[in-house]
Amino acid sequence: MAAQQAEQALVEQWRDILALHARTQCELDRALHGHGLCASDFEVLDVLAGRRTPKGTPSYRVQEISERVHLSQSALSRLIARLEKEGLVERGMCPEDRRGVKVCLTAKGRALHGEVLPVQRAVLARMLTDG
């Protein structure tokens, strides 16, 4: 009986986490919509904005981005293509591995990221803090 109650508590905790994620994702999508972004778009821009390298343009390989955002490889490729079409990112060949593709923010992408960063962080603070 105690084992079943412990198991049920875990299941309920998991469902609470899923519900919080879904509510937060919806709120992020709503808040970012006016800026022409969805939550997944912002996550990619945020990952790219966080990369600091001493030489050259900060960039990530597509594989590195996919390890940090929760999208399938094909969904991420479509998202990056759309962001590139909007002038927010650029893609180029990876000099270390010619089969790889690197992605970096453009000036427009960096500016938009800076503009919407406080919006995204405010939603996270509202949705994820107690009280």
Side-chain angles (χ1 to χ4, degrees), residues 3-130:
Q4 285 180 333
Q5 287 176 336
E7 184 178 296
Q8 187 58 37
L10 282 175
V11 170
E12 288 175 20
Q13 183 180 11
W14 172 242
R15 288 183 181 148
D16 289 345
I17 290 168
L18 291 175
L20 177 60
H21 175 269
R23 286 191 310 272
T24 304
Q25 191 79 11
C26 287
E27 284 298 313
L28 287 168
D29 284 339
R30 266 193 283 279
L32 298 172
H33 180 76
H35 299 275
L37 299 173
C38 68
S40 295
D41 297 341
F42 179 83
E43 283 302 314
V44 170
L45 296 180
D46 201 41
V47 165
L48 292 171
R51 171 60 61 100
R52 300 282 184 244
T53 58
K55 55 184 179 177
T57 304
S59 62
Y60 270 108
R61 291 181 59 153
V62 173
Q63 180 62 34
E64 292 174 305
I65 298 169
S66 72
E67 293 167 1
R68 305 215 33 218
V69 298
H70 301 285
L71 295 172
S72 68
Q73 189 72 36
S74 61
L76 178 60
S77 293
R78 286 190 305 272
L79 187 150
I80 289 171
R82 187 170 37 76
L83 294 176
E84 184 178 38
K85 186 176 179 182
E86 294 171 10
L88 301 174
V89 302
E90 291 178 343
R91 287 188 282 188
M93 200 174 357
C94 177
E96 303 88 29
D97 177 1
R98 296 171 67 133
R99 296 168 298 170
V101 174
K102 288 228 174 197
V103 181
C104 65
L105 283 178
T106 61
K108 180 180 177 182
R110 191 164 295 286
L112 182 59
H113 175 264
E115 178 184 323
V116 298
L117 180 66
V119 174
Q120 190 258 9
R121 298 303 199 254
V123 170
L124 293 182
R126 187 175 74 248
M127 298 298 294
L128 303 178
T129 58
D130 295 327

